[in-house]
Amino acid sequence: MSVSAVAADRSVCAPLPVLGRDVTVPLVTGGEVDYAALDYAASAPALQRVWDDVAAYAPYYGSVHRGAGYLSQLSTDLFENSRRTISDFLGCRADDQVVFTRSTTDSLNLLAAVLPQNTRVFVFETEHHASLLPWEQRADTPVTYLNAPRTPQQAVDTLEKALAEREPYGPALVCVTGASNVTGELWPVRELAAAAHAHGARIVLDAAQLAPHHPVDIAELNVDWAAFSGHKLYAPFGAGVLAGRADWLQDAEPYLAGGGASRKVSRRTDGGVDVEWHTTAARHEAGSPNVIGAYSIASACQALTEAGFDGLVAREQSLIARVRAGLAEVPEVKVLSLFGDDAPRVGVISFVVEGWNSSHFAAALSAEYGIGVRDGLFCAHPLVRTLLGSDPQDPGECGAPEAAPGERSLNAIRVSFGAGTPDEHIDRFLHAIKELVANGARWNYHTEDGRCVPAPAARSAV
């Protein structure tokens, strides 16, 4: 479907209903406006469908596993059926496991904890901190950080060279994002997986930014694991997923020790205890699970599948084209990119504005136009600093401005959107960009507790 066809057929490609679509926020200049949530890459609004499903289940909430009561059995069925729904959504293989976690970060830390001893990890400096940092928590896990590639093919070539040169030759893991949380650009996951396997390595996909925008098929992509968070997939409540091969998960000690992970516990004659751990996903799900979180993810997976990814992707691509075209009309705006203008991408775009501190600009979008975006380094410090022409080793703080309003700072602005974004939010955003660049802010701003905020009752002279 062409962009023009998508724009013309709103009945087919209408935004999905999400919570917060009718919320109004005050403007410093007076009055109120419907809030334009354009920070999907951080946390997407919950689908109304998900909220309704959870509300319908809430009266039947009960303990899971081993409970004799009706509500316990109902909750157990709901929990395990959610696992199967998510497995289908991810295209898992027959012997893959779906482990419920708290988030993408938790999922990748779980995988880091179960790596065989002396596994060498290969990760690009372009990764989100969730997939950049967990691996060094173990002293026996050497990590090779790969420089930011400038083309998809360069990413594959860089990985192949690094894997071929590794010594000693032993277990290895590659960690790569599916879609950048900074530029939105899609990575060549299938090709990277082929390169990893050709050199005897395994690969884990950080699908946090990919899964809300595109189908993710573990078997088709031929990745060993995939991790993602519910709160980016239109499902709140602090739950995540690690899905993939079972062997390393089964062979390792449980991520957490406790009830649920243990299958049998007995006293020894010497006074200690012997433990037989589960070999299923329960091995790494000790404690009472987040049933509502798991169910909300499954509900979101089902809602996106039923809505049809073809139509959702087509509409999002039309929004991306409109945003990029609108930003291109403002010479002062520089869009950040690794792979160039023609690279396929999801609805995540980061940019800087000449003459503006990014935090000041984001604060003005919020206070004067009711638009919520992100500013900072987006928990991807080395990548953002590379894209801004700074040393990727320079320190920085997530979201905290490093310069006063009007001064240059090494941070950026990120706009992100998805299946619930109305056209009006995009139109208002582009109008605000052009108006702020042309006329300046209508209010004065200052830094307070590390954030750029409107000054009390102090209009700008502009």
Side-chain angles (χ1 to χ4, degrees), residues 10 36 38 315 318-319 322-323 326 365 369 371 415 417 421-435:
R10 299 300 180 202
L38 296 178
R315 181 174 185 276
S318 75
L319 297 182
R322 286 170 61 189
V323 171
L365 285 174
Y369 297 92
I371 299 170
V415 57
F417 42 88
T421 303
D423 291 6
E424 187 275 329
H425 291 183
I426 298 299
D427 295 339
R428 195 195 320 169
F429 168 74
L430 293 173
H431 169 76
I433 293 287
K434 295 172 183 177
E435 194 166 82

Side-chain angles (χ1 to χ4, degrees), residues 153-185:
Q153 185 58 50
Q154 188 180 58
V156 177
D157 294 342
T158 298
L159 177 62
E160 286 190 324
K161 183 174 186 295
L163 288 171
E165 293 175 349
R166 81 181 190 270
E167 291 183 4
Y169 189 90
L173 177 71
V174 177
C175 182
V176 66
T177 187
S180 170
N181 79 303
V182 176
T183 67
E185 293 163 318

Side-chain angles (χ1 to χ4, degrees), residues 94-175:
D95 54 352
D96 283 342
Q97 287 186 351
V98 172
V99 181
F100 287 115
T101 65
R102 295 179 299 167
S103 60
T104 308
T105 302
D106 195 32
S107 296
L108 295 172
N109 274 272
L110 163 58
L111 186 59
V114 305
L115 294 180
Q117 191 172 14
N118 296 318
T119 298
R120 179 172 288 279
V121 176
F122 296 83
V123 57
F124 286 93
E125 67 171 355
T126 47
E127 292 293 307
H128 186 280
H129 293 172
S131 49
L132 186 73
L133 302 181
W135 319 108
E136 285 195 345
Q137 301 305 302
R138 287 178 46 174
D140 65 346
T141 303
V143 184
T144 298
Y145 294 101
L146 306 175
N147 292 335
R150 288 298 179 167
T151 67
Q153 185 58 50
Q154 188 180 58
V156 177
D157 294 342
T158 298
L159 177 62
E160 286 190 324
K161 183 174 186 295
L163 288 171
E165 293 175 349
R166 81 181 190 270
E167 291 183 4
Y169 189 90
L173 177 71
V174 177
C175 182

Side-chain angles (χ1 to χ4, degrees), residues 75-323:
S75 293
T76 298
D77 287 344
L78 189 79
F79 186 64
E80 295 303 334
N81 285 334
S82 295
R83 199 188 305 274
R84 285 186 282 273
T85 297
I86 294 166
S87 177
D88 291 342
F89 180 79
L90 292 174
C92 289
R93 297 155 295 228
D95 54 352
D96 283 342
Q97 287 186 351
V98 172
V99 181
F100 287 115
T101 65
R102 295 179 299 167
S103 60
T104 308
T105 302
D106 195 32
S107 296
L108 295 172
N109 274 272
L110 163 58
L111 186 59
V114 305
L115 294 180
Q117 191 172 14
N118 296 318
T119 298
R120 179 172 288 279
V121 176
F122 296 83
V123 57
F124 286 93
E125 67 171 355
T126 47
E127 292 293 307
H128 186 280
H129 293 172
S131 49
L132 186 73
L133 302 181
W135 319 108
E136 285 195 345
Q137 301 305 302
R138 287 178 46 174
D140 65 346
T141 303
V143 184
T144 298
Y145 294 101
L146 306 175
N147 292 335
R150 288 298 179 167
T151 67
Q153 185 58 50
Q154 188 180 58
V156 177
D157 294 342
T158 298
L159 177 62
E160 286 190 324
K161 183 174 186 295
L163 288 171
E165 293 175 349
R166 81 181 190 270
E167 291 183 4
Y169 189 90
L173 177 71
V174 177
C175 182
V176 66
T177 187
S180 170
N181 79 303
V182 176
T183 67
E185 293 163 318
L186 300 182
W187 277 62
V189 176
R190 190 179 297 101
E191 292 81 2
L192 290 168
H197 293 151
H199 291 276
R202 298 189 183 189
I203 185 168
V204 57
L205 169 65
D206 176 355
Q209 299 296 341
L210 183 63
H213 304 276
H214 280 273
V216 174
D217 191 310
I218 287 178
E220 194 273 332
L221 291 172
N222 199 22
V223 295
D224 298 281
W225 295 276
F228 71 94
S229 295
H231 73 98
K232 298 185 190 298
L233 195 79
Y234 311 100
F237 310 119
V241 167
L242 176 67
R245 294 179 63 162
D247 54 350
W248 285 4
L249 293 167
Q250 292 174 347
D251 293 342
E253 291 297 306
Y255 186 43
L256 297 173
S262 57
R263 189 169 175 272
K264 180 181 177 181
V265 180
S266 58
R267 290 293 301 274
R268 295 197 306 262
T269 56
D270 64 3
V273 295
D274 286 321
V275 184
E276 180 182 330
W277 303 105
H278 279 293
T279 57
T280 63
R283 185 183 188 89
H284 299 290
E285 294 177 344
S288 295
N290 182 357
V291 182
I292 289 180
Y295 181 44
S296 69
I297 293 178
S299 172
C301 291
Q302 193 166 350
L304 292 174
T305 300
E306 291 175 0
F309 264 111
D310 287 347
L312 295 175
V313 170
R315 181 174 185 276
E316 183 175 310
Q317 290 304 309
S318 75
L319 297 182
I320 293 170
R322 286 170 61 189
V323 171

